[in-house]
Amino acid sequence: MLFLKNYNYLWGEIDTKFYYAMKLSDLNNGEEAVIVKVYGHGGFRKRITEMGFVRGRRVTSILNSPLNDPVKYSIMGYEVSLRHSEADMVEVLYEAEAEQQVSDFRQLFKPRRNLHLHKHSFVTLDEEDPEHLNLFGKIVGPEDEIVTRKNIINIALVGNPNSGKTSLFNALSGRSEHVGNYSGVTVDAKTGHFNYKGYHFNITDLPGTYSLSAYSPEEKYVRRYIFEKMPDVIVNVVVASNLERNLFLTTELIDINPRMVVALNMYDELEASGSVLDHKTFGGMIGVSMVPTVAKNRKGLDTLLDTAIDVFENRDSTSRHIHINYGTVIEPEIAALRGLMKDDDDIPKQFPTRYWAIKLLENDAEAVALLSSCANYDKWNQLARRASERIENQAKENVETAISDAKYGFIDGALQETFVPGTRDSNRKTRIIDRLVTDKWLGFPIFILLMWAMFMTTFYLGAYPQDWIEAGVGWLDGIISEFMPDGPFKSLLTSGVIGGVGSVIVFLPNILILYIFISFMEDSGYMARAAFIMDKIMHKMGLHGKSFIPLIMGFGCNVPAIMASRTIESHSSRIITILINPFMSCSARIPAFILLAGAFFPNNAATVLILMYLAGIVCAVLTARLFRKTIFKVDETPFVMELPPYRMPTLKTTLRHTWDKGEQYLRKMGGFILVASIIIWVLGYYPHDSGLDSDTQYEQSYLGQVGKFCEPVVEPLGLNWKASVALVSGTAAKEVIVSTLGVIYKNEDEAALSSSIASSGDFTPRSALAFMVFVLLYFPCIATIVAIANETGSWKWVAFSVIYNTLLAWFAAFMVYTVGGL
């Protein structure tokens, strides 16, 4: 038995009673309970309250992962994954035991939860205060001046992860950015441009975020972007079928008072559930126009743009500045602190003083850092700390939780006036699929089967179009060889351009097939489930389940995968994920693996390919464990991850994503790989002595001299100077390894090159395997190095990655070669 005080932070302490309190982790699957309190440190508590885990909410335990941890819970119409350790921090009561407490709680909230349309019943307005002017350039009120800048409108898309922002961005701008059904696809701001009704729109797709706090990298990025760029109009993209959770971010945007329009995206899903929303009345209540949209078929987009123009030109009658009323405990403290701050000239004018006052009460790290340079900061901070203490004493909650609680109460009240929930269960399909793919006995076999099918299809199905491309490359080489006179230029074209680029481009089908699989897993929502079922294993490694998503993405390309690590809130887990990501065998390594596996292990090539991927995974696991035990001993942020509903990817979206990746690969072939192949040819052709045979000539060239210099390093691995040349060139990009071998062995197609390498005597099966292991693990490519530097913010991690990976590669390759000899 636990003695709990039954209280409400707006109205003070009421009667105390005895209740049997339990942890959220104590719920069995299918059981529902009411949240009483959220414990834990600030970062976790902030995130989980933003996601709807606030007092009085019902939460249901849905199912356990195959290893029983984490557990999927349902709250506010969506699903979220929590480990037992995180669920232990949420205190709950069964409905019957909490009935009296919750009824008291709701009765006290009644003035906010049952709102009337009269604006003063739920907001405060400063109609004579200069701060009533919108700080983004708009003056509230129908008779105000029109902004002076015409015809150019800068729009920023802001919304939760999985809200369809990028789909909306693509539909408006015509860009083909990747749309994935899991958190973190948009890891950076993407910009586009288009014209509409005489206006030129510059549109920016910002990372998905649950709030504008200083908790995660994407939250910081979005807030800084709005603060620094001050877009003309913010389009707040909201999932129409999950309003309660999505509108929390809307309330945060209301606090900073931008010119804004809400896009009620995926409105077809709301209608399919049988729900009814009076969005015009709702918009009038909160002072923001709302427009139903369905981005995938462009429904409502013209209305959205028309509304954005009206908001920009101050013609939108719905738009007005409101203040959310945080209740009788918090509001006086906000007013007192704001009154002290508002006359200061050095306070940042991008956001209202009321917003800065709220953030000081919350002790927001970003706001504190920004305001600390103000002359009167010490005075403000002292008042804020005393005010926060008073709020916490009266509310029995920390300030952040109390404010989040009030925001959800505000949202509830508005929805009660304007929203009628449907009777159809929109999550039924998702629950049925999850019972299968996350089943205790079937979850891992299904996952392994998908991985096996991906690699087998990549190798075997890709062989057919690969043969066609090889035939085309061979035909072009034959034409040039037959009709051009001998000389340096002919050698450049055949050995340099065709031998270098042609030997790599034949692997385009394999790479496209790999991306089709990855795109399908991302777009369908399965990628998030993979993270869910793998979380306990990742936790054993010292990582988050969220780390699994960028690691899987690394099989496509390490660069966007490393960027996707931004969604991991834990700093240490994020750094470890970035450092081990290069061990995930990216598509650039596929040509080298297929080439050598086909040459020396023709009957087991697919098995060897799978073993290379498994070897990379094993090295990543061991490295993560090593780093967690030594460098990063504390994982400072618990695991919380939304599980989006399943959505069937459209053929158009999947093909567009795959084509984009293929286009990037072809551009790489025509740019970087072509230049690298020409440089390699020049170094291998000069100094030229026509009296020498070709092998001796190549050995005495500049490239041969580089290879000879490096040969002692690779000799213990059973490799010679030719292999060292390929490895050195591969530090720029892993595709160049095969193009270098193509130049060295003077073969442009994969079959001929494979045959030449196998018959050259330069490799044996065990040295070829050692070479493949070295390629898998050593020096990341230049683009990956830049990504590591950008995402870690330090070149020391780049140096560490280069040295550690290369030493590990040499040791692992040496062990493979030595064991192979036994």
Side-chain angles (χ1 to χ4, degrees):
M1 300 289 287
L2 180 67
F3 185 67
L4 296 178
K5 289 184 176 180
N6 189 7
Y7 56 82
N8 179 272
Y9 72 87
L10 284 178
W11 305 93
E13 190 173 306
I14 59 177
D15 294 338
T16 59
K17 301 180 181 179
F18 282 97
Y19 293 99
Y20 177 72
M22 61 182 178
K23 299 172 182 176
L24 179 60
S25 58
D26 294 332
L27 290 183
N28 297 317
N29 288 344
E31 290 185 336
E32 183 181 75
V34 177
I35 296 172
V36 176
K37 192 173 181 65
V38 176
Y39 296 94
H41 64 77
F44 166 76
R45 191 168 55 230
K46 175 69 173 174
R47 167 50 54 88
I48 205 169
T49 54
E50 289 169 354
M51 298 181 77
F53 284 79
V54 294
R55 186 174 46 192
R57 294 285 167 184
R58 290 180 175 85
V59 58
T60 305
S61 176
I62 302 296
L63 60 82
N64 292 8
S65 67
L67 297 177
N68 293 322
D69 194 16
V71 179
K72 183 171 77 168
Y73 297 96
S74 175
I75 185 169
M76 291 173 51
Y78 79 104
E79 295 171 346
V80 63
S81 169
L82 296 177
R83 290 183 187 145
H84 287 304
S85 56
E86 279 78 59
D88 285 345
M89 301 183 199
V90 182
E91 192 176 87
V92 297
L93 292 173
Y94 284 122
E95 182 98 12
E97 296 169 335
E99 184 175 354
Q100 183 60 48
Q101 182 180 15
V102 175
S103 63
D104 290 344
F105 172 78
R106 286 179 177 166
Q107 183 64 34
L108 293 175
F109 265 77
K110 191 171 182 179
R112 290 189 300 107
R113 299 173 78 89
N114 295 320
L115 303 180
H116 302 287
L117 296 185
H118 188 269
K119 61 188 178 183
H120 291 291
S121 64
F122 66 102
V123 300
T124 59
L125 291 166
D126 298 328
E127 303 204 4
E128 297 181 359
D129 193 314
E131 283 202 338
H132 187 50
L133 305 182
N134 184 295
L135 296 174
F136 282 69
K138 170 195 164 188
I139 303 176
V140 178
E143 301 178 358
D144 297 311
E145 297 179 6
I146 296 176
V147 294
T148 57
R149 175 164 58 79
K150 287 285 187 180
N151 301 326
I152 299 177
I153 304 178
N154 298 317
I155 284 182
L157 302 181
V158 179
N160 285 183
N162 308 307
S163 62
K165 289 185 303 81
T166 304
S167 294
L168 187 62
F169 173 82
N170 291 340
L172 290 173
S173 69
R175 290 278 297 273
S176 298
E177 297 296 343
H178 178 214
V179 181
N181 190 20
Y182 68 92
S183 172
V185 172
T186 307
V187 294
D188 207 341
K190 298 178 176 68
T191 59
H193 315 277
F194 63 94
N195 296 317
Y196 178 80
K197 290 188 176 180
Y199 289 86
H200 180 75
F201 284 82
N202 299 314
I203 184 169
T204 302
D205 179 22
L206 294 172
T209 178
Y210 293 104
S211 75
L212 299 180
S213 66
Y215 174 56
S216 68
E218 61 267 25
E219 290 172 350
K220 295 176 183 178
Y221 186 99
V222 172
R223 190 164 77 178
R224 287 174 183 173
Y225 182 92
I226 297 173
F227 180 83
E228 294 170 3
K229 303 296 184 181
M230 291 196 299
D232 298 315
V233 179
I234 287 178
V235 175
N236 176 209
V237 185
V238 167
V239 179
S241 58
N242 191 0
L243 290 168
E244 196 170 13
R245 209 285 311 287
N246 278 250
L247 287 169
F248 183 88
L249 178 59
T250 307
T251 64
E252 297 238 303
L253 290 168
I254 287 173
D255 282 342
I256 66 174
N257 188 27
R259 284 182 291 189
M260 182 168 67
V261 56
V262 171
L264 297 169
N265 203 26
M266 307 179 199
Y267 203 77
D268 54 334
E269 294 183 4
L270 179 144
E271 294 175 325
S273 70
S275 301
V276 177
L277 173 67
D278 184 354
H279 60 85
K280 291 185 178 179
T281 300
F282 195 121
M285 294 171 70
I286 67 173
V288 181
S289 287
M290 294 184 161
V291 180
T293 62
V294 183
K296 64 183 180 182
N297 59 20
R298 298 189 59 84
K299 181 180 178 181
L301 298 195
D302 287 348
T303 305
L304 178 66
L305 292 176
D306 290 338
T307 305
I309 292 172
D310 288 343
V311 170
F312 175 73
E313 299 286 13
N314 297 318
R315 297 195 298 256
D316 183 53
S317 58
T318 302
S319 295
R320 59 192 176 90
H321 180 197
I322 71 168
H323 288 166
I324 297 171
N325 191 325
Y326 291 110
T328 56
V329 172
I330 300 176
E331 277 296 333
E333 306 295 355
I334 295 175
L337 184 55
R338 177 176 170 242
L340 187 64
M341 298 172 68
K342 69 178 183 179
D343 294 329
D344 251 273
D345 292 333
D346 57 351
I347 195 167
K349 298 298 188 291
Q350 290 90 332
F351 294 161
T353 305
R354 176 182 169 88
Y355 174 81
W356 296 123
I358 293 171
K359 290 303 164 185
L360 275 186
L361 288 174
E362 293 180 331
N363 201 26
D364 181 281
E366 290 272 299
V368 167
L370 192 63
L371 296 176
S372 59
S373 60
C374 297
N376 293 316
Y377 168 74
D378 289 339
K379 187 189 302 181
W380 305 338
N381 189 50
Q382 289 175 11
L383 179 59
R385 299 287 64 78
R386 290 196 298 268
S388 296
E389 186 176 345
R390 286 192 294 269
I391 292 171
E392 292 176 5
N393 287 336
Q394 295 180 65
K396 312 302 181 186
E397 294 277 12
N398 69 82
V399 177
E400 288 181 334
T401 302
I403 288 177
S404 295
D405 220 349
K407 287 180 184 292
Y408 274 115
F410 167 75
I411 293 166
D412 269 2
L415 287 175
Q416 284 185 18
E417 293 286 335
T418 58
F419 179 70
V420 179
T423 57
R424 289 188 284 276
D425 184 2
S426 58
N427 289 324
R428 182 173 178 271
K429 178 183 70 174
T430 293
R431 284 198 294 271
I432 292 173
I433 298 174
D434 271 349
R435 287 195 193 104
L436 178 66
V437 301
T438 64
D439 180 75
K440 180 177 182 180
W441 303 109
L442 296 177
F444 282 109
I446 289 173
F447 172 72
I448 293 170
L449 179 63
L450 282 174
M451 296 295 103
W452 178 85
M454 179 172 72
F455 296 129
M456 295 296 285
T457 305
T458 296
F459 188 85
Y460 285 112
L461 185 60
Y464 295 100
Q466 189 178 28
D467 290 340
W468 306 333
I469 296 175
E470 283 181 353
V473 171
W475 173 82
L476 180 60
D477 181 71
I479 293 292
I480 294 175
S481 298
E482 182 177 354
F483 292 103
M484 280 193 69
D486 292 337
F489 187 62
K490 178 180 178 180
S491 177
L492 170 64
L493 291 180
T494 57
S495 298
V497 177
I498 299 177
V501 176
S503 60
V504 179
I505 202 171
V506 295
F507 297 101
L508 176 63
N510 307 89
I511 291 168
L512 293 180
I513 292 170
L514 180 68
Y515 271 112
I516 286 174
F517 274 92
I518 293 176
S519 176
F520 180 83
M521 288 192 294
E522 292 174 351
D523 298 345
S524 65
Y526 179 76
M527 193 75 87
R529 270 64 187 189
F532 175 68
I533 67 176
M534 290 294 293
D535 176 65
K536 190 165 186 177
I537 295 175
M538 302 301 291
H539 192 42
K540 295 289 186 183
M541 294 167 52
L543 296 174
H544 275 207
K546 282 187 177 181
S547 299
F548 187 72
I549 293 173
L551 292 179
I552 286 291
M553 291 177 66
F555 289 137
C557 180
N558 296 140
V559 175
I562 287 172
M563 295 172 67
S565 300
R566 294 180 189 176
T567 61
I568 304 169
E569 291 88 356
S570 166
H571 173 74
S572 60
S573 290
R574 186 165 64 251
I575 296 296
I576 295 175
T577 304
I578 289 171
L579 293 178
I580 67 174
N581 205 287
F583 296 138
M584 299 295 103
S585 183
C586 67
S587 59
R589 297 177 174 97
I590 289 179
F593 294 160
I594 292 178
L595 175 69
L596 293 168
F600 294 97
F601 310 96
N603 297 325
N604 300 288
T607 302
V608 171
L609 184 64
I610 293 173
L611 287 175
M612 285 298 104
Y613 281 90
L614 290 177
I617 293 170
V618 169
C619 287
V621 170
L622 295 177
T623 298
R625 288 289 297 164
L626 176 64
F627 289 174
R628 181 59 75 189
K629 292 290 187 182
T630 55
I631 304 174
F632 304 101
K633 295 183 178 180
V634 178
D635 186 8
E636 66 279 356
T637 307
F639 172 70
V640 182
M641 186 179 71
E642 180 184 356
L643 295 173
Y646 288 102
R647 293 188 173 94
M648 178 57 69
T650 64
L651 181 63
K652 178 182 178 182
T653 299
T654 301
L655 292 180
R656 183 173 62 187
H657 178 215
T658 304
W659 172 252
D660 289 343
K661 295 301 180 182
E663 186 182 21
Q664 291 175 19
Y665 189 75
L666 290 174
R667 284 202 302 266
K668 201 172 185 181
M669 296 303 100
F672 189 84
I673 304 301
L674 175 61
V675 173
S677 297
I678 292 174
I679 292 173
I680 291 166
W681 175 85
V682 170
L683 294 175
Y685 191 82
Y686 295 102
H688 188 71
D689 186 347
S690 57
L692 299 176
D693 63 81
S694 58
D695 288 341
T696 305
Q697 158 62 36
Y698 207 88
E699 189 172 349
Q700 294 185 4
S701 67
Y702 296 125
L703 195 61
Q705 294 173 36
V706 172
K708 287 288 186 179
F709 177 78
C710 298
E711 189 174 38
V713 177
V714 299
E715 216 166 21
L717 312 180
L719 305 173
N720 62 13
W721 65 270
K722 294 180 182 179
S724 69
V725 168
L727 292 172
V728 170
S729 64
T731 58
K734 295 301 180 279
E735 298 96 335
V736 182
I737 293 173
V738 173
S739 65
T740 302
L741 293 173
V743 173
I744 292 175
Y745 291 98
K746 301 179 178 63
N747 289 111
E748 67 284 344
D749 65 82
E750 191 260 342
L753 180 56
S754 182
S755 178
S756 295
I757 290 175
S759 61
S760 67
D762 295 323
F763 291 88
T764 64
R766 64 182 179 129
S767 68
L769 198 58
F771 182 83
M772 294 166 67
V773 169
F774 197 92
V775 170
L776 170 70
L777 301 175
Y778 86 119
F779 198 112
C781 70
I782 298 298
T784 301
I785 284 174
V786 172
I788 293 173
N790 289 339
E791 298 306 313
T792 61
S794 172
W795 282 94
K796 74 175 183 180
W797 291 120
V798 172
F800 179 86
S801 178
V802 168
I803 295 170
Y804 176 83
N805 290 23
T806 305
L807 289 176
L808 178 63
W810 191 93
F811 178 76
F814 178 75
M815 293 299 296
V816 166
Y817 183 73
T818 302
V819 172
L822 299 177

